[in-house]
Amino acid sequence: MDKNNSMKRLAFSEPFMSQRRKVVSGFSLGIGASLLFLTLLLLNASLKPPKILLFLQGSASAISNSSSSSSSSSSSSFSWPFPIRTTYPVTSSSSVTNNNNEERIEETRGVNASSEGFEKKKTLFGNFTVVRENATVNSSSEVHQFPLKTDGENVTSVTDIGNFTDTRVAKDLDFAANASVSSNVTLVIDDGGSSTSQDVEMKGFLSLNDENCDIYDGKWVRDDSKPYYPLGSCPFIDRDFDCHLNGRPDSDYVKWKWQPNKCDIPSLNATDFLERLRGQKLVFVGDSLNRNMWESMVCILRQSVKDKKRVFEISGRHEFKKKGVYAFRFEDYNCSVDFVSSPFIVQESTFKGVNGSFETLRLDLMDRTTTTYHDADIIVFNTGHWWTHEKTSKGEDYYQEGDHVHPRLKVLEAFKRALTTWARWIDENIDVNRTLVVFRGYSPTHFRGGQWNSGGQCHKETEPIYNRTHLQKYPSKMRALEKVIPTMKTTVIYMNISRLTDYRKDAHPSIYRMEYKTEAERAAAELHQDCSHWCLPGVPDTWNELLYASLLKFGSGSWKS
């Protein structure tokens, strides 16, 4: 009877209604009841419940809820007040008036669920409200997960979280409550006939500005919209990094996006980046891994500029491997993106000893290049890879402070002292009202069978690491940095890319750091592979995407989002 009460009342003719005043026989009553029962069955079968499809912003295809049988629906932990193939019960309806005094329909939808059948994971989605125009979706007061499993095109069930690597279908969607950021979602209601779509604002992932949003905690997911610039399209990539031009046959290494677990990051909007950088100077300071990142940034930004001739290196250079200062000017925006070669950040020097002069590293002095970037608007520092070379790692008669050369000093202690010198210089010389300071973390290498100078290899790697247990030990150099930064007066944006980059064993130049004319040359190249730097396009594009997100999250002035 509850189902009957939920149905619309049937409209009967007046003569039929008048028969209710007559005394009917048992036989007539039975015939009437049977007819009424059959009528209700036919009417119920003709009702088609709505089907709901969610489209994430930027996705290439819909995430759709497929139908399930009535028997499976009845056994699900979700409860519905009427038969339907999805897991969203319509609990009430009312009218809403918009700014034009036009009446709209508002449907309040909710989910009643328990944790049974979901391996003790919270799988509630919370209550939300759908309005026909400019609707909003409000999450409840708890943190929930809404896992969807896909068969490649459609969501087939609401079950345990799966790992999906194709952005055209559902990933595992983790919706957090009390989220202060909203992403655009399209809701399509299919009533079996024509479909209507509404723009819906969904409070899903944590806000980029939420203190609990860790953009470096996540996973790599497949993204066919990448890269930001086509393979072979940017003339400013050093030949060592242009794997495509050097004959690498596969290209899947450019089809990955970093997806944080608890929040979302925006794609790097190159036009927006340049507008915010208008009249300013962005400088990358460090070793060749920062040159890797710098060339990536130049190529991403250049791709958005219509007249490519108005993007140029001010001295006309096209090769950037030699030590020095390089500056790309974006004429239409009156800004520059520079690279300053300073592999240690502190000063390389010489010491005159009794037995002659020898090279040292001044742990107590900054590199002389500081005059070229101390007044920049954004400075991105890095160091680390040159500290693994034989002379620095051995640490004998090499590290100098004042007039004293340490006979022996452990490399990690020397690294920490150099960072302390850098931190002190930042605090004393950087105008925090003008300059944003960023430090990008150490980028792991993926040599196997030896190191960079002893036959180490990484070629034939075409997929990232999927199992976290195969990742390397967290770099001790980054632990040292993480002890120095909190002692500083200056706020430093720390880009902790070590762990996320460690997954990407597939994206190094390996043997594709130059073009080989013969098979003999290619075979010889296998003895000297590059498993430190990264192909471009590639992983450094993601670093710049995270830099963009970090500037929006922590930046000031034109970077306030």
Side-chain angles (χ1 to χ4, degrees):
M1 292 302 297
D2 291 339
K3 178 184 289 186
N4 294 340
N5 290 335
S6 67
M7 309 302 294
K8 294 181 179 179
R9 291 177 178 267
L10 296 176
F12 297 104
S13 64
E14 181 60 28
F16 180 86
M17 294 299 293
S18 66
Q19 297 303 314
R20 295 199 309 173
R21 302 184 180 94
K22 298 179 180 180
V23 178
V24 295
S25 66
F27 176 78
S28 299
L29 181 61
I31 292 296
S34 298
L35 289 174
L36 179 61
F37 180 74
L38 289 173
T39 301
L40 290 175
L41 282 179
L42 292 173
L43 183 59
N44 184 50
S46 66
L47 292 177
K48 292 184 178 180
K51 181 170 61 179
I52 299 176
L53 308 174
L54 291 176
F55 295 81
L56 292 179
Q57 182 183 20
S59 296
S61 297
I63 301 171
S64 63
N65 288 325
S66 69
S67 62
S68 60
S69 65
S70 59
S71 60
S72 63
S73 297
S74 61
S75 62
S76 171
S77 60
F78 292 86
S79 64
W80 282 89
F82 56 87
I84 199 165
R85 294 175 294 174
T86 56
T87 55
Y88 302 99
V90 174
T91 58
S92 65
S93 64
S94 60
S95 62
V96 178
T97 304
N98 61 17
N99 293 333
N100 297 324
N101 294 321
E102 296 174 355
E103 190 176 44
R104 294 177 289 147
I105 298 176
E106 181 183 55
E107 297 172 346
T108 302
R109 301 174 183 266
V111 170
N112 299 316
S114 68
S115 60
E116 296 178 4
F118 294 94
E119 297 182 2
K120 298 182 180 180
K121 296 177 182 176
K122 284 192 175 181
T123 54
L124 307 184
F125 180 40
N127 297 327
F128 60 90
T129 301
V130 178
V131 181
R132 292 290 182 180
E133 296 178 12
N134 300 322
T136 59
V137 179
N138 303 315
S139 65
S140 65
S141 59
E142 294 184 62
V143 175
H144 305 307
Q145 290 181 326
F146 183 58
L148 303 176
K149 178 172 284 188
T150 175
D151 63 0
E153 285 295 335
N154 299 314
V155 175
T156 58
S157 60
V158 183
T159 56
D160 195 7
I161 295 176
N163 294 319
F164 306 100
T165 58
D166 191 338
T167 54
R168 293 174 298 175
V169 296
K171 311 297 183 303
D172 43 357
L173 303 177
D174 297 339
F175 292 104
N178 299 324
S180 56
V181 73
S182 300
S183 59
N184 291 328
V185 177
T186 300
L187 179 70
V188 177
I189 298 178
D190 182 4
D191 60 359
S194 60
S195 297
T196 57
S197 63
Q198 301 88 21
D199 288 331
V200 178
E201 187 179 63
M202 175 174 289
K203 291 189 174 181
F205 294 112
L206 291 173
S207 166
L208 184 63
N209 294 318
D210 193 295
E211 61 180 6
N212 294 317
C213 169
D214 182 358
I215 62 177
Y216 303 103
D217 174 32
K219 58 185 172 295
W220 290 93
V221 297
R222 181 81 177 184
D223 188 349
D224 288 323
S225 69
K226 294 291 188 289
Y228 282 103
Y229 46 101
L231 289 162
S233 67
C234 186
F236 302 125
I237 298 175
D238 272 319
R239 192 60 184 257
D240 290 7
F241 304 152
D242 201 329
C243 304
H244 174 74
L245 202 60
N246 292 330
R248 179 166 176 168
D250 63 304
S251 60
D252 281 354
Y253 63 92
V254 303
K255 297 293 185 180
W256 294 92
K257 171 185 174 63
W258 179 251
Q259 177 60 64
N261 286 327
K262 295 183 179 180
C263 47
D264 208 355
I265 55 175
S267 294
L268 200 165
N269 185 324
T271 301
D272 178 64
F273 195 109
L274 285 168
E275 284 292 351
R276 294 175 187 270
L277 197 63
R278 185 180 291 276
Q280 300 181 14
K281 181 166 71 171
L282 163 63
V283 184
F284 293 83
V285 180
D287 57 29
S288 55
L289 273 299
N290 242 19
R291 176 163 55 89
N292 221 177
M293 185 178 180
W294 167 68
E295 291 181 14
S296 162
M297 178 63 82
V298 170
C299 292
I300 292 173
L301 299 182
R302 175 183 178 273
Q303 184 64 23
S304 70
V305 177
K306 291 183 179 180
D307 187 353
K308 302 292 191 290
K309 294 181 180 179
R310 296 180 66 79
V311 180
F312 52 88
E313 204 282 321
I314 58 174
S315 61
R317 290 173 289 187
H318 285 76
E319 294 184 359
F320 316 107
K321 292 181 65 174
K322 294 182 180 180
K323 286 188 177 181
V325 179
Y326 304 91
F328 268 95
R329 179 164 178 79
F330 288 77
E331 194 71 22
D332 293 336
Y333 296 90
N334 188 32
C335 66
S336 69
V337 181
D338 305 355
F339 172 67
V340 177
S341 178
S342 180
F344 294 106
I345 296 181
V346 292
Q347 187 178 128
E348 295 177 80
S349 185
T350 56
F351 184 82
K352 293 182 179 180
V354 177
N355 298 322
S357 299
F358 54 92
E359 293 181 348
T360 62
L361 188 64
R362 291 292 302 266
L363 302 178
D364 57 338
L365 293 177
M366 286 288 285
D367 191 359
R368 296 182 180 90
T369 58
T370 56
T371 56
T372 64
Y373 61 78
H374 75 280
D375 60 344
D377 298 276
I378 305 169
I379 313 175
V380 181
F381 291 94
N382 99 295
T383 187
H385 284 268
W386 282 46
W387 296 80
T388 64
H389 294 183
E390 183 178 1
K391 189 178 295 185
T392 49
S393 60
K394 193 174 182 180
E396 295 181 356
D397 296 321
Y398 181 61
Y399 296 118
Q400 179 181 354
E401 290 179 291
D403 293 330
H404 175 68
V405 177
H406 295 275
R408 187 175 184 84
L409 187 65
K410 291 183 177 181
V411 63
L412 190 59
E413 177 60 26
F415 184 76
K416 186 175 181 180
R417 294 187 187 191
L419 289 177
T420 302
T421 297
W422 165 80
R424 183 173 58 250
W425 181 87
I426 293 291
D427 283 342
E428 294 175 355
N429 294 274
I430 292 298
D431 180 1
V432 295
N433 294 319
R434 170 177 178 171
T435 304
L436 292 169
V437 179
V438 182
F439 198 107
R440 179 183 59 76
Y442 184 77
S443 167
T445 62
H446 292 96
F447 292 100
R448 47 182 169 78
Q451 286 303 309
W452 63 276
N453 56 353
S454 59
Q457 299 182 355
C458 59
H459 73 304
K460 298 181 181 179
E461 297 285 2
T462 58
E463 291 186 332
I465 293 172
Y466 296 114
N467 192 334
R468 290 177 62 94
T469 61
H470 295 161
L471 298 179
Q472 304 170 42
K473 184 179 179 181
Y474 188 69
S476 56
K477 293 182 179 66
M478 293 302 93
R479 297 194 187 280
L481 174 66
E482 289 160 11
K483 291 181 180 179
V484 170
I485 289 179
T487 68
M488 300 174 64
K489 295 184 297 182
T490 306
T491 298
V492 173
I493 300 174
Y494 173 35
M495 292 183 61
N496 187 5
I497 55 89
S498 297
R499 182 65 70 198
L500 70 90
T501 305
D502 196 4
Y503 286 98
R504 297 305 308 278
K505 63 181 174 62
D506 60 312
H508 295 289
S510 62
I511 64 172
Y512 302 106
R513 56 189 179 86
M514 61 180 293
E515 186 178 15
Y516 305 102
K517 296 181 179 179
T518 66
E519 285 301 319
E521 289 181 350
R522 183 182 295 276
E526 293 187 10
L527 300 176
H528 303 282
Q529 297 188 24
D530 185 351
C531 306
S532 299
H533 300 99
W534 304 92
C535 296
L536 290 179
V539 168
D541 300 336
T542 296
W543 298 348
N544 282 314
E545 190 173 58
L546 291 166
L547 173 62
Y548 178 62
S550 297
L551 292 173
L552 293 174
K553 181 178 174 69
F554 300 110
S556 56
S558 63
W559 289 98
K560 282 187 176 180
S561 59

